[in-house]
Amino acid sequence: MVLRLNIDQIELATRDWICKVQIVEMGRPRESLDKKCTFQNLILEDEEECQINAVMYADEIEQYADKLKLINTYLISTARVKVSPASYDKPIYKFYWILDKEIVIEHIKPSNEVEKPLPPPTKLNITTFDHIPHLMVDSAAEIDILAIVLRCGPQKYAGRSHHKCREITLCDNQKNQFLLTLWEDFEEIEGHEIASKMATEADLLIILGRSIRISTYQGLSLQTRYNSTIRVNPNYPQAVALINWAKENKTMLLSCASEKTSTSSSVAPMIVTPAGQQVISIAEISSAPFMGVFYVEAEMAILDEFQDFCVLECSGCKQKKRTKDRKDFKCPKCNRKTTLVPRCSFQIDLIDGTATTTTSISAELGEKLLCMTAENIFDITCTKRQSLSLNHVHEMLSNKVFQIQLRKSSWASSNTTHATLSVLSYMEKEHTPQSTTDRNSKKIKPLEIREVEVMATTTAAGSSNATLKFEPPTPT
């Protein structure tokens, strides 16, 4: 006897079952990282809105290509049930299904009088924009987003490996903005679709992005990953409500679109501070028991004028090196011959009425503060062996208070855990502070910030070398 079951009733040992599901998401076919197979991921949802991942491999992808369609309802029987490996990043359910040639799939058409199709899906696990900064402690965090598209940049090539990408500016209904980079085939397909529709349609677009990566390299932004999906104007009730809100507020949204969100790969995407975030004192950061993102208002000063203001890093994997020699070498991480390139990186002191602390600032944020490029800094400090002239920086920072977004993280060495702070963004506060601190005054003990934090290194997100969120094991 065949049992009619829902997803949460089907276990590893369940036999002779049938389940009514709707395909609520379909990824594009992908090649596994070991190049041994091609696979395609799906998300299925049953009548109780319970969801599960499903996967098809090479032969099945071709066999079911014309049969399995997004937002269609099917009766699926006796799929192979597997345990979601612990290495998968936050699977949506403890099991996943393999759709092979031995299963039976029956398409339920709208004209079917006995078995009705499931209604359009409504279940979304959306991360709001104001919550994104607090997820940065998890460098592998992947989220689902629903947002309005304000701008769509042109196609371009980023990095020495010339990965294709396109940057779009997103906004929520609280006017918080983030930059989303579409990499490789996402740029070619969804990026082209977004650009075309924005050029021809009067209304703003809404996108639903699944498995989107939070990037902290050179600023806080969003990126597609190898396993992401992007859908334009999806037919979810939440999306329809956001579309209607965007129509009513289009003029306001376009007028407040942030000019600080970069559309150039040579400039880091600036963080747009979410509204309503609590500003705390520097002294409170040291006592905070958790890692994460904090907002402070403080003066900035460079008290150590004799530090190194740049480092050399591998042009491929961005691993920092201690040498000052820029000759070619074989990187053990990239496993190829590469060159070292300079990256601006130094320490800056933050001062408020409660304490002073030392933080790291790097890449384009540091170059902006020094008004120099990393190449110029390296040429002065390493090639010519001269000290940087910082008089213009001291003058620029004098008598000013900045709104600063900091990331507090930790690293361990010799059984000791150290806390580090790094600047993610800064913006001058409009009013002038009542009192300032002399940059040569005695420095208060820092909050155990002992080393410049090494930024997380990634390959171009969304390229074929990126890490999968859900890659099923290669079948034997």
Side-chain angles (χ1 to χ4, degrees), residues 282 297-303 349-357 393-402 432-445:
I282 291 175
E297 292 183 354
E299 298 175 61
M300 297 196 299
I302 301 177
L303 302 181
D349 299 276
L350 308 182
I351 309 134
D352 68 3
T354 65
T356 295
T357 188
V393 181
H394 298 319
E395 182 178 351
M396 179 183 65
L397 298 178
S398 178
N399 299 333
K400 293 179 181 178
V401 171
F402 294 85
T432 303
Q434 295 180 352
S435 61
T436 59
T437 305
D438 186 353
R439 66 180 178 86
N440 295 317
S441 61
K442 184 178 180 180
K443 185 168 64 172
I444 302 174
K445 182 180 179 181

Side-chain angles (χ1 to χ4, degrees), residues 70 138 221 459:
L70 189 66
D138 181 5
S221 63
T459 56

Side-chain angles (χ1 to χ4, degrees), residues 402-457:
F402 294 85
Q403 296 173 328
I404 306 166
Q405 190 177 41
L406 297 173
R407 179 178 62 179
K408 183 179 181 181
S409 53
S410 63
W411 58 279
S413 64
S414 303
N415 298 323
T416 303
T417 301
H418 308 270
T420 62
L421 291 176
S422 55
V423 176
L424 297 177
S425 72
Y426 67 89
M427 181 186 303
E428 182 182 349
K429 199 174 179 182
E430 293 182 358
H431 66 276
T432 303
Q434 295 180 352
S435 61
T436 59
T437 305
D438 186 353
R439 66 180 178 86
N440 295 317
S441 61
K442 184 178 180 180
K443 185 168 64 172
I444 302 174
K445 182 180 179 181
L447 304 179
E448 299 183 2
I449 309 305
R450 303 177 184 177
E451 291 192 13
V452 175
E453 178 184 18
V454 178
M455 296 294 288
T457 57

